Amino acid sequence: MAGARGSSIIMLRLNFMTAIYLPILLYAMSTYELEEGSLTISERNLDAVAVPVERSLFSGDMFEAQILYDAISPQQHATAPALRRGGIESLARPRVEITDGPEGLYFDEESRRFVFNTENVFADEPDDVLEKELSFSGRVTLTSIVDQEEFQKTFEQSFRVRRPTVQVISNAPQRLVQNSRNDLTFLVPGVSDSDIVLHESSRNQTVQGNRLTWTPVGESTRVRIQRRNQAGELVTLDTREFSVVPPPPPQLVLRRTDGSGPIGPNEVINPFNDQLELAVVPDRQFYNDFPEDARYELSDIGIAFAIPGQVISTYDVPSGVINFNRARSQQLGQYVYGPFIMADLNPNISGQVNQISIFIQRLERINFENRRIPQTDGFVNNFAVRTR
């Protein structure tokens, strides 16, 4: 037990002395006597080690490694903790040579670091290659302070470069809808959400984070996914292009309230008794994917009819005659107006009228921003019915 405790004390003292007083020790003496045995401290007792700042990186990161030196205890055949390179460098500037490694890796004399830009690591690789292990080796030439003899230490090191993979999560299939709430989340395994920056082209907006919620315009848009690396620089990981389509139009129907379905062109209604309703029926897929954007409002309804022998007259239906039926709308998942009877629409409707046309002058879609978008085509907006 005493011998083991003595050895621990020796190593502790050695680590402290070599880290603090290494330049003086290398110059002043070749040996240093301790309580138990002796230990030679010189360049011959140092190993050169290339130590990466980060051993695992994403493509586009700058790989850096520095040269450190390990003091070797010949008595115990153990390696002391790595020393700061300043002690060696201040005495004699070691010459560092790279003997093997990826193209573009070099040793920067000013910073005394190995440097390698990983941007093109996967340039010639198939898309399914997501990770590469790279290695490099070299030698350091040192000069003994004691006898001026030159000798070399070799080193080798490896590091891993990963290709970032971007996964897209959408509130709808891989299409974007104009003037609607599009929500995309970009997941990059191994990258913190806070380090991701998104840039969208149609609105020319930049978002800090991995989630993009917006209303794109035009027929297509590109989203550039970037990552902020350890130096605070933005590195592009991927660019995704999406089609932007207009929302599908709704269907407008005129029907009886008894559930018998839309009124056909050959049906005859009683203008004084039949309970009717107008309904805006959203496209079902659009309604499911974009519930906050598939809201509709009818306004400016008109009618046209003629008493036999007279010209056709058109009239605006006064506001409030055909009211929005909220309860029925929620029940059906549609936007229902009514009930009403034809005779309520204009006081001039009489038993002599044998045909009445109802036409919609204004239909608006209300999106998630409560913005009103006029709907102008893609649906029937005129209903002609026979009366008796």
Side-chain angles (χ1 to χ4, degrees):
M1 292 296 291
R5 184 163 54 251
S7 297
S8 298
I9 294 171
I10 291 172
M11 289 304 299
L12 181 61
R13 293 177 60 182
L14 174 62
N15 293 345
F16 176 78
M17 295 296 290
T18 53
I20 303 301
Y21 300 111
L22 181 61
I24 301 172
L25 291 172
L26 287 175
Y27 180 77
M29 52 176 138
S30 60
T31 61
Y32 182 72
E33 298 294 334
L34 298 176
E35 296 176 7
E36 297 184 6
S38 62
L39 176 64
T40 300
I41 303 176
S42 73
E43 290 91 335
R44 291 182 179 82
N45 300 105
L46 298 175
D47 262 348
V49 183
V51 181
V53 175
E54 289 189 34
R55 197 176 295 275
S56 181
L57 307 93
F58 284 103
S59 59
D61 283 347
M62 191 68 69
F63 170 77
E64 294 186 359
Q66 56 184 322
I67 283 285
L68 298 181
Y69 301 90
D70 281 352
I72 303 171
S73 168
Q75 290 181 330
Q76 299 176 351
H77 303 288
T79 301
L83 305 177
R84 297 181 180 271
R85 63 178 175 86
I88 297 294
E89 302 282 348
S90 63
L91 280 174
R93 196 172 181 85
R95 297 196 307 274
V96 179
E97 300 172 82
I98 298 172
T99 55
D100 188 31
E103 183 178 357
L105 187 144
Y106 66 97
F107 185 75
D108 182 67
E109 290 290 344
E110 183 176 349
S111 65
R112 304 297 288 173
R113 288 193 173 199
F114 299 96
V115 180
F116 175 60
N117 189 340
T118 64
E119 183 177 4
N120 297 318
V121 165
F122 296 97
D124 299 322
E125 299 289 352
D127 291 342
D128 59 351
V129 176
L130 303 179
E131 186 174 286
K132 290 187 72 173
E133 187 86 11
L134 302 177
S135 61
F136 65 100
S137 58
R139 56 178 171 263
V140 179
T141 302
L142 299 129
T143 303
S144 172
I145 298 300
V146 177
D147 54 18
Q148 298 300 305
E149 178 187 354
E150 280 193 351
F151 59 95
Q152 294 180 334
K153 297 291 185 177
T154 61
F155 62 85
E156 61 180 353
Q157 188 54 267
S158 64
F159 58 98
R160 182 180 295 109
V161 181
R162 291 190 290 169
R163 187 205 301 263
T165 56
V166 179
Q167 303 168 5
V168 182
I169 300 176
S170 173
N171 65 320
Q174 293 297 302
R175 59 174 169 76
L176 304 177
V177 180
Q178 297 171 354
N179 293 310
S180 301
R181 183 183 182 276
N182 296 273
D183 193 334
L184 298 180
T185 300
F186 298 84
L187 300 178
V188 184
V191 178
S192 171
D193 298 346
S194 60
D195 289 335
I196 295 177
V197 177
L198 307 173
H199 179 79
E200 190 273 336
S201 65
S202 76
R203 295 281 187 182
N204 193 29
Q205 62 178 328
T206 299
V207 174
Q208 305 289 327
N210 71 332
R211 185 173 181 177
L212 184 60
T213 302
W214 86 119
T215 58
V217 294
E219 297 180 353
S220 65
T221 185
R222 290 185 306 278
V223 178
R224 185 170 68 247
I225 303 99
Q226 297 180 299
R227 179 180 68 89
R228 196 173 299 280
N229 64 15
Q230 69 270 32
E233 303 165 333
L234 289 179
V235 178
T236 297
L237 304 179
D238 200 355
T239 300
R240 297 293 180 91
E241 185 158 351
F242 301 90
S243 297
V244 182
V245 299
Q251 180 185 8
L252 266 65
V253 296
L254 176 67
R255 63 195 179 198
R256 290 183 173 87
T257 58
D258 60 7
S260 58
I263 296 174
N266 297 319
E267 289 188 63
V268 179
I269 68 166
N270 185 323
F272 302 100
N273 293 318
D274 287 348
Q275 297 282 317
L276 307 176
E277 63 185 12
L278 279 166
V280 185
V281 183
D283 176 87
R284 185 49 52 184
Q285 189 63 52
F286 180 57
Y287 182 81
N288 290 337
D289 292 341
F290 298 87
E292 296 177 284
D293 295 283
R295 299 177 293 163
Y296 297 91
E297 185 174 295
L298 285 176
S299 59
D300 300 338
I301 300 172
I303 61 170
F305 59 89
I307 296 173
Q310 298 181 11
V311 297
I312 296 177
S313 300
T314 61
Y315 305 90
D316 292 331
V317 176
S319 176
V321 173
I322 305 179
N323 290 315
F324 176 64
N325 191 326
R326 187 175 302 277
R328 189 158 168 78
S329 297
Q330 292 176 346
Q331 176 189 359
L332 300 176
Q334 302 171 3
Y335 296 87
V336 181
Y337 292 80
F340 61 91
I341 59 176
M342 286 292 191
D344 291 338
L345 304 184
N346 188 277
N348 296 319
I349 294 176
S350 67
Q352 296 178 287
V353 174
N354 54 27
Q355 181 171 300
I356 301 175
S357 292
I358 299 179
F359 50 91
I360 310 303
Q361 301 180 89
R362 188 173 183 83
L363 171 65
E364 294 176 318
R365 181 172 68 88
I366 304 171
N367 76 350
F368 79 106
E369 302 167 312
N370 288 322
R371 185 157 49 90
R372 293 175 176 271
I373 300 103
Q375 308 295 288
T376 56
D377 53 24
F379 54 88
V380 176
N381 61 354
N382 192 315
F383 307 94
V385 296
R386 298 166 57 196
T387 62
R388 63 173 185 272

